[in-house]
């Protein structure tokens, strides 16, 4: 558990989930010190302000600002040398959601599962991603109808695939994931009242999670804990969307559009070798978080 000043506790509540087993989802990402080989990203189309949203944001998406934020994000991956290589796919105006490239493929080792996105309007996004991954030499797997799965529902940590069963990902999609990456264990997690599993929780340091402070996010964490091998510490944020953190190697990228006082900054600093803020406010308006904007491949 982190040593936290009292002031911090006023903003976030903290629970330690006791269990007989360790929580495999928590430790693996932050402790992987090897630099990932590459990241795939996809730029912002002119139509981005028409992307799919669960609730219309009060403020409209500023597409030019989104472009600037996307470029800053790519510069974090490339310029901060978080990955060896960044592959940038061209945006397509037919697919307003195409910057959320995470949803289009799950890549582990030499294998890539090309998803069949749950939103039918997004299905055409996968073609260019499949072509790129094939070209890069990955063994390609596909999802047959009626299976659907979004990469935003897939959390791969400590050799376990936790996958959200959500409005976008169904049982057949989860079966396709299990087939593609057998023998990696797959643990389905029921996702309620949010878009994806990773919309509301993500690993934070060794054996810890940052999650939204909601009944449903807590339930999802409990399911992860039950399927796991140890206790995990959980830190909760009241800010919707703020719990999606991007880990690359030992670097933590956090969403700076949400309030982050000095106490939370200290917590981040204690969790990672390097901490980098990224403001992606325009992508939050489209229900996106930091992980949505890339496929990072170890
Ligand atoms: N706007 C992201 C999604 O709905 O998939």
């Amino acid at each position: 558990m982190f040593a936290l000043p009292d002031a911090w506790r006023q903003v976030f509540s903290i629970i330690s989930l006791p269990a007989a087993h360790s929580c495999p989802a928590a430790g693996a990402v932050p402790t992987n010190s090897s630099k990932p080989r590459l990241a795939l990203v996809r730029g912002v189309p002119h139509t981005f302000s028409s992307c799919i949203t669960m609730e219309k944001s009060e403020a409209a998406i500023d597409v030019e600002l989104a472009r600037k934020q996307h470029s800053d994000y790519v510069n974090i991956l490339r310029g901060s040398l978080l990955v060896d290589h960044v592959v940038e796919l061209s945006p397509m105006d037919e697919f307003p959601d195409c910057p959320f490239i995470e949803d289009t493929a799950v890549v582990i080792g030499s294998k890539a599962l090309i998803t069949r996105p749950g939103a039918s309007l997004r299905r055409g996004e996968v073609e260019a991603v499949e072509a790129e991954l094939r070209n890069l030499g990955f063994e390609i797997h596909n999802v047959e109808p009626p299976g659907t799965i979004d990469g935003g529902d897939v959390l791969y940590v400590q050799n376990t695939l936790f996958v959200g069963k959500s409005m976008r990902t169904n049982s057949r999609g989860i079966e396709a994931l299990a087939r593609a990456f057998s023998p990696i264990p797959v643990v389905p997690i029921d996702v309620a009242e949010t878009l994806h599993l990773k919309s509301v929780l993500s690993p934070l340091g060794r054996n810890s999670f940052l999650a939204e402070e909601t009944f449903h996010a807590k339930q999802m964490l409990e399911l992860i804990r039950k399927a796991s091998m140890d206790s995990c510490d959980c830190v909760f944020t009241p800010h919707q969307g703020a719990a999606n953190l991007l880990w690359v190697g030992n670097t933590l990228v956090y969403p700076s559009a949400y309030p982050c006082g000095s106490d939370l900054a200290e917590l981040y600093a204690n969790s990672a070798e390097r901490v980098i803020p990224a403001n992606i406010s325009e992508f939050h308006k489209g229900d996106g978080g930091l992980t949505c904007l890339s496929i990072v491949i170890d």
Side-chain angles (χ1 to χ4, degrees), residues 61-91:
I61 292 175
D62 179 335
V63 177
E64 279 319 303
L65 181 56
R67 289 219 166 98
K68 155 92 175 59
Q69 292 176 344
H70 193 270
S71 160
D72 291 345
Y73 178 94
V74 174
N75 281 338
I76 288 172
L77 290 174
R78 184 187 279 136
S80 301
L81 302 178
L82 298 191
V83 295
D84 286 330
H85 210 57
V86 178
V87 176
E88 287 192 68
L89 274 65
S90 304

Side-chain angles (χ1 to χ4, degrees), residues 5 20 41 49 72 98 139 146-147 180 232 250 254 259 280-281 285:
V41 297
S49 58
D72 291 345
C98 69
E139 178 186 309
C232 56
N250 275 342
Y254 71 92
I280 57 159
S281 61
K285 291 177 189 171

Side-chain angles (χ1 to χ4, degrees), residues 51-53 97 100 103 119 122 150 168 195-196 286-288:
C51 70
I52 303 166
T53 51
D97 286 86
F100 301 122
D103 291 322
R122 298 196 56 189
D150 281 12
R168 295 289 178 82
L195 184 57
H196 292 131
D287 297 340

Side-chain angles (χ1 to χ4, degrees), residues 223-241:
L223 290 171
I224 290 173
R225 186 191 68 79
K226 277 189 178 150
S228 69
M229 300 296 291
D230 201 353
S231 63
C232 56
D233 296 326
C234 301
V235 177
F236 294 100
T237 169
H239 300 292
Q240 192 183 355

Side-chain angles (χ1 to χ4, degrees), residues 46-286:
H46 295 103
T47 52
F48 181 57
S49 58
S50 313
C51 70
I52 303 166
T53 51
M54 289 177 73
E55 278 173 33
K56 201 88 192 148
S57 162
E58 276 171 27
I61 292 175
D62 179 335
V63 177
E64 279 319 303
L65 181 56
R67 289 219 166 98
K68 155 92 175 59
Q69 292 176 344
H70 193 270
S71 160
D72 291 345
Y73 178 94
V74 174
N75 281 338
I76 288 172
L77 290 174
R78 184 187 279 136
S80 301
L81 302 178
L82 298 191
V83 295
D84 286 330
H85 210 57
V86 178
V87 176
E88 287 192 68
L89 274 65
S90 304
M92 289 178 74
D93 285 343
E94 303 92 293
F95 303 117
D97 286 86
C98 69
F100 301 122
I101 192 171
E102 172 186 55
D103 291 322
T104 61
V106 178
V107 184
I108 301 173
S110 60
K111 296 181 185 176
L113 176 72
I114 307 305
T115 67
R116 185 165 180 271
S120 56
L121 291 174
R122 298 196 56 189
R123 299 226 169 110
E125 290 175 31
V126 304
E127 271 177 38
V129 177
E130 175 169 349
E132 189 62 50
L133 289 169
R134 198 180 287 283
N135 191 37
L136 287 164
F138 288 93
E139 178 186 309
I140 301 294
H141 296 252
N142 296 97
V143 181
E144 298 303 325
T148 62
I149 184 166
D150 281 12
D153 275 319
V154 181
L155 176 64
Y156 177 52
V157 281
Q158 283 197 356
N159 298 322
T160 301
L161 278 160
F162 293 92
V163 55
K165 194 171 174 194
S166 70
M167 62 180 81
R168 295 289 178 82
T169 297
N170 63 19
S171 301
R172 299 289 283 274
I174 295 173
E175 284 164 22
L177 180 79
R179 266 195 306 277
F181 296 110
S182 171
I184 297 175
V186 171
V187 179
I189 305 285
D190 283 329
V191 171
E193 303 222 331
T194 190
L195 184 57
H196 292 131
L197 177 67
K198 289 187 292 189
S199 304
V200 293
L201 59 88
S202 59
L204 174 61
R206 290 180 65 83
N207 299 319
S208 324
F209 275 99
L210 178 64
E212 286 184 17
E213 193 162 30
T214 63
F215 173 77
H216 292 294
K218 286 177 181 172
Q219 268 196 331
M220 290 175 220
L221 272 182
E222 181 62 12
L223 290 171
I224 290 173
R225 186 191 68 79
K226 277 189 178 150
S228 69
M229 300 296 291
D230 201 353
S231 63
C232 56
D233 296 326
C234 301
V235 177
F236 294 100
T237 169
H239 300 292
Q240 192 183 355
N244 178 274
L245 305 170
L246 176 68
W247 282 93
V248 186
N250 275 342
T251 298
L252 165 64
V253 187
Y254 71 92
S256 61
Y258 297 108
C260 173
S262 57
D263 298 325
L264 185 55
E266 189 183 325
L267 180 69
Y268 287 158
N270 287 337
S271 309
E273 276 177 15
R274 199 156 50 140
V275 180
I276 301 177
N279 188 332
I280 57 159
S281 61
E282 302 316 291
F283 298 93
H284 297 320
K285 291 177 189 171

